[in-house]
Amino acid sequence: MEISLKQGHSKKKTAKKVTRTKEDILFNILNYTFFAVITLICAYPFYYLIINSISNNELSALGDIRFVPAGIHIENYKQVLQLDGLSLAAVVSLARTVIGTACTVLASAFLGFMFTQEKMWKRTFWYRFIIITMYFNAGLIPMFITMKTLGLTNNFWVYVLPAIVQPFNIILVKTYIESIPRSLQEAAEIDGANILQVFFKVILPNCTPILATVAIFSAVAQWNSFQDTLIYITDQKLYSLQYLLYTYINQANSLAQMVKNSGGAVASIASAATAQTPTSIRMTVSVIVVLPIMFIYPLFQRYFVKGIMLGAVKG
């Protein structure tokens, strides 16, 4: 009884509230203030794009919209979304993002897993061979010739196949898998599991954080890419959304003038409700490109932080 009373007394002592000094409070205030300012600086460009895309186009063109929207309307989005070929380009971008991300995640996971297997033939050589490609490449012209020889020019798979093997992603996955207890694989092998069963039933279920991290990297890269369309694609049916919007941004002046002078003649592009300007087109197009990633990223954020830390640091 006496021992239990002593234990209870010791627990009360350990549970005693820790008092903070004035220095601690001051540090916390400065710390939160600093990161709040950094957050506002990072968020303001996105906010600026959004408020200018929904504000009065004349005020936006004059640079008068900085913090508060004025003359709010959504005609810019209605008119831009009616541009010729936009819906088909959106489907192409969505397809390349989904298929490309899935293939990249699966390839990164499997190669990262295989490079942890000591029984893999010439494991060190192949691992170093892949890592070298991070630092050296043949260049644009040899790459174009290679894609043309393989029949990938004007082909949807030019968006997917070249991006499947990413050395950086493989390094992240390999390092993460090395942190998984080896005993799990050994137990599965004792039960008669082959290498594929070990990979799909043991390794993959335990790699959710790092695979989510790789998925974010791949999805953002696929969604934002437009240079591959510029280099390899001439068929308008295979234009990606980013490339199409990139051309619209470059042609904003002429496009805005055409919208302004249409007066109903180009009904598929504009209505007479709001006069478009080059600034309004640029702002609206930029928001359309950015918004999908802004909505998707928070869904993976909790995996991203854990995955990037465990995948990057071993120990």
Side-chain angles (χ1 to χ4, degrees):
M1 184 70 178
E2 186 178 353
I3 296 175
S4 63
L5 289 175
K6 288 182 179 180
Q7 289 177 345
H9 184 65
S10 62
K11 288 181 180 178
K12 288 182 180 180
K13 284 185 176 180
T14 56
K16 186 178 179 180
K17 186 177 180 180
V18 179
T19 58
R20 294 183 178 180
T21 63
K22 292 182 179 180
E23 290 78 6
D24 292 335
I25 296 174
L26 179 61
F27 173 78
N28 288 335
I29 293 174
L30 294 176
N31 195 28
Y32 286 124
T33 303
F34 173 75
F35 282 105
V37 171
I38 295 298
T39 302
L40 290 175
I41 293 174
C42 294
Y44 177 74
F46 300 103
Y47 174 75
Y48 180 81
L49 288 175
I50 293 172
I51 63 174
N52 274 273
S53 67
I54 62 175
S55 297
N56 182 285
N57 291 344
E58 293 183 1
L59 296 177
S60 177
L62 293 173
D64 294 336
I65 307 298
R66 294 185 177 89
F67 299 102
V68 180
I72 297 176
H73 64 90
I74 59 172
E75 290 300 320
N76 291 338
Y77 290 95
K78 291 181 179 179
Q79 295 172 14
V80 169
L81 291 176
Q82 292 174 4
L83 291 171
D84 188 30
L86 197 67
S87 58
L88 181 59
V91 172
V92 172
S93 286
L94 181 62
R96 69 172 292 180
T97 301
V98 173
I99 299 173
T101 300
C103 292
T104 300
V105 169
L106 183 60
S108 300
F110 186 71
L111 289 174
F113 166 67
M114 291 304 299
F115 287 136
T116 63
Q117 304 301 299
E118 296 180 357
K119 57 187 176 182
M120 176 182 174
W121 180 72
K122 299 289 185 180
R123 179 183 62 148
T124 304
F125 168 77
W126 290 116
Y127 182 65
R128 292 176 178 174
F129 182 80
I130 289 179
I131 298 305
I132 288 175
T133 62
M134 291 180 63
Y135 307 101
F136 302 98
N137 61 76
L140 179 60
I141 295 177
M143 189 69 176
F144 176 81
I145 294 174
T146 301
M147 294 300 162
K148 187 176 179 64
T149 303
L150 294 174
L152 292 177
T153 54
N154 282 326
N155 190 321
F156 172 80
W157 292 104
V158 76
Y159 295 138
V160 177
L161 297 181
I164 288 180
V165 178
Q166 297 291 337
F168 179 71
N169 295 339
I170 294 172
I171 294 173
L172 289 179
V173 177
K174 175 180 177 293
T175 308
Y176 187 92
I177 292 176
E178 288 174 343
S179 68
I180 298 175
R182 185 74 176 180
S183 57
L184 293 177
Q185 180 177 344
E186 294 173 350
E189 290 175 345
I190 290 174
D191 290 338
N194 57 37
I195 196 69
L196 291 179
Q197 290 174 329
V198 170
F199 173 68
F200 284 105
K201 295 184 178 180
V202 177
I203 300 300
L204 275 187
N206 289 285
C207 289
T208 303
I210 195 62
L211 295 184
T213 303
V214 173
I216 290 175
F217 288 157
S218 178
V220 171
Q222 287 282 5
W223 180 259
N224 291 333
S225 180
F226 70 92
Q227 289 185 339
D228 44 11
T229 306
L230 181 64
I231 297 170
Y232 304 121
I233 302 297
T234 57
D235 186 355
Q236 295 185 4
K237 294 180 180 179
L238 295 175
Y239 281 177
S240 64
L241 178 64
Q242 283 63 34
Y243 175 76
L244 198 62
L245 298 181
Y246 161 77
T247 59
Y248 288 153
I249 289 176
N250 288 339
Q251 299 171 4
N253 291 317
S254 59
L255 186 60
Q257 188 64 34
M258 181 170 58
V259 169
K260 185 177 180 180
N261 297 332
S262 62
V266 191
S268 63
I269 297 181
S271 64
T274 305
Q276 289 284 2
T277 65
T279 301
S280 67
I281 290 178
R282 290 190 180 98
M283 297 296 178
T284 307
V285 166
S286 299
V287 171
I288 291 174
V289 171
V290 170
L291 276 182
I293 296 299
M294 291 180 64
F295 282 116
I296 292 174
Y297 184 83
L299 300 177
F300 293 91
Q301 184 178 12
R302 63 192 182 104
Y303 297 111
F304 177 79
V305 176
K306 181 180 178 182
I308 196 66
M309 292 301 293
L310 292 180
V313 181
K314 182 180 178 181

